[in-house]
Amino acid sequence: MDPKSQIPQTKAQVSSSSSISPNQNLQVSQSKYGELLAVIEEIGKDIRPTYAGSKNASERLKKGIMHARALVRECLIETERCARQ
């Protein structure tokens, strides 16, 4: 199996591909939303240990928040793009 075929496509690669159907576009949007929900769930697990003073949980929480912010931006862009079509 080709190693490149195992690498997930980035948003730029997905949006630049002209052969993607609207149904596939919806699946990409839903996967971003699903990923966002998973990140939010992970963030929730780190809140209590952060209050207890865990440095590791605090760092995971910061990284999770940054990741969630990026996903929210991507989801909003995707939603606006779909609304214009």
Side-chain angles (χ1 to χ4, degrees):
M1 184 178 243
D2 182 24
K4 288 186 178 180
S5 66
Q6 295 175 348
I7 300 172
Q9 290 183 334
T10 63
K11 182 177 174 252
Q13 290 170 327
V14 170
S15 63
S16 67
S17 179
S18 60
S19 63
I20 292 180
S21 71
N23 191 22
Q24 289 172 327
N25 220 1
L26 180 61
Q27 289 175 346
V28 169
S29 299
Q30 288 177 343
S31 69
K32 290 283 183 196
Y33 184 71
E35 186 179 351
L36 176 60
L37 292 177
V39 169
I40 291 170
E41 188 174 330
E42 288 300 313
I43 287 172
K45 293 176 183 176
D46 287 325
I47 291 175
R48 187 169 290 166
T50 299
Y51 276 121
S54 170
K55 299 257 184 196
N56 289 335
S58 175
E59 289 302 313
R60 282 193 310 267
L61 185 61
K62 288 177 189 176
K63 286 180 182 179
I65 290 170
M66 289 189 308
H67 189 199
R69 288 180 67 190
L71 287 171
V72 167
R73 277 189 225 111
E74 291 176 16
C75 287
L76 286 173
I77 290 168
E78 186 70 25
T79 302
E80 290 171 1
R81 192 169 58 78
C82 288
R84 283 189 230 131
Q85 289 180 352

